[in-house]
Amino acid sequence: MLFGVSCYLDLHRRNAMYHILTKNAPCFTTVLQVDCFTFYSHLVYLLALRFRASRCKRSYVTGMSRMAGNLPHGLDLAHWMGDLPPTLRAAPLKNLAIPGTHDSGSFYQDKTFEISPDGQTLLEIINEETVKILGLTVNDVVNNWSVTQHDIGVSGQLNVGVRYFDLRVAWRESDNSLYFVHGLYGSKVETAMQEIADWLNTHTKEVVMLDFNHFYNIDDSHHKKLSAILEEKFDSKLCPKTIVSQAVDVTLTMLWEHRHQVIVFYNNNEIADHHNYLWSDWEYLHSHSPNTYEVAKLIAWLENEGVCDESKFHVSQAILTPDAITIVGNLGHSLKTVLATPAMPEILKWLKRKISGSGSNGVNIVIADFVDLEFLLAVIKLNYT
């Protein structure tokens, strides 16, 4: 059920009346009284958060870089695949524990652009007048609830160990370009692919998995343009699905022998069938969303899922998904503060009970929002247990 919000301030009575009502059922109305001092204190708090944001970003990037160069057990996150022991290099990739990011392209989103095609439903639950009172714009709120990764770019994610990228692409008519999207438009696909290609040139033993799983405003001509970008940027680095009789049995050793570093999953079977380097999501990848905003339900879902289908790569989505009520009730907050950060300790506990590989306790690819070093290390170290 989608919610609309309206807010009225009675300054003379020093009270703010928040009216939260269901669009489709106006009779259902909740009225909250909020002391104005508390209300304005909240505004000051939001301004303080904005002032701290750039400092937090700089300290996060600096901290990640410093810690990545001084890790326990000699792990070098920028080269962790190349540093694996011989037995793991010869093991199928489906039996390795590989960290990834959810909505990997949302590390940057341009709030000066229009809402992207996948973010249109958010406009139905965000009231512009209400967010103005909070000192925000509609695009601010969409950004807060759609950014899922720290702003360190794709090469920054690679440097700290990420090897699987969850990607959503849209065609933007106004400048005839392909963008990564998640509520808003992010970086151009071509720019990000070049950044990955440049990084791989200096990290020749590392392998990345690019999962193009959502397409918006995309027709055959746009798919053709996207495939042309992949071919131009990666060329012989692209791994064909015919590299071995059972493609999911591909190993690092095989990839190194052929100098392949990129596996591309593609959620369009018809297009994938025409390109030997596009691995159909449906055929080669198991990836389902837990679709809950409750931590307990997420962990229960992850526990029960397991890796049972050895004919595919398996993605464990350790993520929470907000519903309309969660967003409307937290317009001044974000996905990170309300859901992602509180969930991470429980996700880490769940990972401690896992092993790399198949079976009820096995994991292969694990993705999360706002991944940090503790999460990345927890996943990679499963390869050594």
Side-chain angles (χ1 to χ4, degrees), residues 92-96 98 209 246-250 263 265 267 269 279-288 306-316 357-359 362-365:
L93 288 182
K94 67 181 182 182
N95 288 338
L96 299 183
I98 300 171
M209 298 175 170
Q246 295 295 322
V248 294
D249 289 332
V250 66
I263 294 176
F265 298 110
N267 192 22
N269 294 337
W279 302 42
S280 164
D281 263 16
W282 178 84
E283 187 174 354
Y284 296 104
L285 194 69
H286 173 100
S287 182
H288 296 301
V307 180
C308 300
D309 187 353
E310 294 193 45
S311 68
K312 297 181 180 182
F313 292 96
H314 190 284
V315 180
S316 297
S358 60
V363 295
N364 177 204
I365 300 163

Side-chain angles (χ1 to χ4, degrees), residues 128-384:
E128 187 172 2
E129 294 305 313
T130 301
V131 298
K132 280 183 179 179
I133 294 171
L134 296 174
L136 303 170
T137 66
V138 170
N139 281 20
D140 286 330
V141 176
V142 173
N143 185 67
N144 290 343
W145 284 94
S146 58
V147 166
T148 63
Q149 301 302 328
H150 300 283
D151 187 2
I152 59 173
V154 287
S155 60
Q157 293 183 46
L158 288 164
N159 280 331
V160 294
V162 173
R163 296 294 179 267
Y164 168 92
F165 292 82
D166 165 42
L167 304 169
R168 304 174 186 219
V169 177
W171 177 259
R172 188 167 182 256
E173 295 288 349
S174 57
D175 62 356
N176 293 323
S177 297
L178 290 165
Y179 283 86
F180 291 123
V181 294
H182 191 224
L184 292 167
Y185 290 92
S187 63
K188 288 187 176 181
V189 172
E190 188 169 7
T191 302
M193 295 302 99
Q194 183 64 58
E195 190 176 341
I196 293 174
D198 291 342
W199 189 90
L200 289 172
N201 285 336
T202 59
H203 299 76
T204 56
K205 293 294 184 71
E206 301 306 299
V207 174
V208 300
M209 298 175 170
L210 307 177
D211 182 11
F212 292 88
N213 51 53
H214 286 72
F215 300 103
Y216 304 94
N217 290 348
I218 300 284
D219 60 25
D220 286 349
S221 68
H222 304 135
H223 282 294
K224 186 176 180 179
K225 182 174 179 63
L226 178 53
S227 62
I229 290 173
L230 295 172
E231 291 170 11
E232 176 191 352
K233 301 305 179 185
F234 299 120
D235 194 21
S236 61
K237 289 183 174 67
L238 293 167
C239 177
K241 52 202 172 192
T242 54
I243 187 172
V244 63
S245 58
Q246 295 295 322
V248 294
D249 289 332
V250 66
T251 68
L252 286 173
T253 301
M254 292 177 191
L255 292 166
W256 294 345
E257 287 176 356
H258 295 86
R259 298 186 178 181
H260 299 318
Q261 291 182 269
V262 182
I263 294 176
V264 180
F265 298 110
Y266 211 79
N267 192 22
N268 184 304
N269 294 337
E270 184 177 351
I271 300 298
D273 285 344
H274 288 85
H275 297 276
N276 194 29
Y277 62 86
L278 296 181
W279 302 42
S280 164
D281 263 16
W282 178 84
E283 187 174 354
Y284 296 104
L285 194 69
H286 173 100
S287 182
H288 296 301
S289 172
N291 196 28
T292 181
Y293 58 87
E294 297 180 46
V295 177
K297 288 184 178 179
L298 167 64
I299 300 303
W301 187 87
L302 290 170
E303 288 283 11
N304 293 330
E305 190 184 33
V307 180
C308 300
D309 187 353
E310 294 193 45
S311 68
K312 297 181 180 182
F313 292 96
H314 190 284
V315 180
S316 297
Q317 297 193 23
I319 60 172
L320 291 176
T321 303
D323 63 355
I325 298 175
T326 302
I327 295 174
V328 170
N330 296 276
L331 289 176
H333 296 280
S334 67
L335 176 72
K336 180 182 179 182
T337 58
V338 177
L339 296 180
T341 299
M344 186 54 74
E346 298 305 315
I347 292 170
L348 293 172
K349 290 178 185 177
W350 165 75
L351 279 170
K352 288 180 180 179
R353 301 190 290 271
K354 300 285 111 178
I355 58 173
S356 62
S358 60
S360 59
N361 289 322
V363 295
N364 177 204
I365 300 163
V366 186
I367 66 173
D369 293 326
F370 299 100
V371 299
D372 57 17
L373 278 178
E374 193 171 4
F375 168 82
L376 295 163
L377 282 170
V379 176
I380 294 171
K381 285 182 178 180
L382 293 177
N383 293 303
Y384 295 88

Side-chain angles (χ1 to χ4, degrees), residues 47-59:
L47 291 173
L49 285 181
R50 285 186 175 185
F51 175 76
R52 292 173 55 194
S54 61
R55 293 180 62 187
C56 289
K57 172 187 168 182
R58 288 195 299 272
S59 63

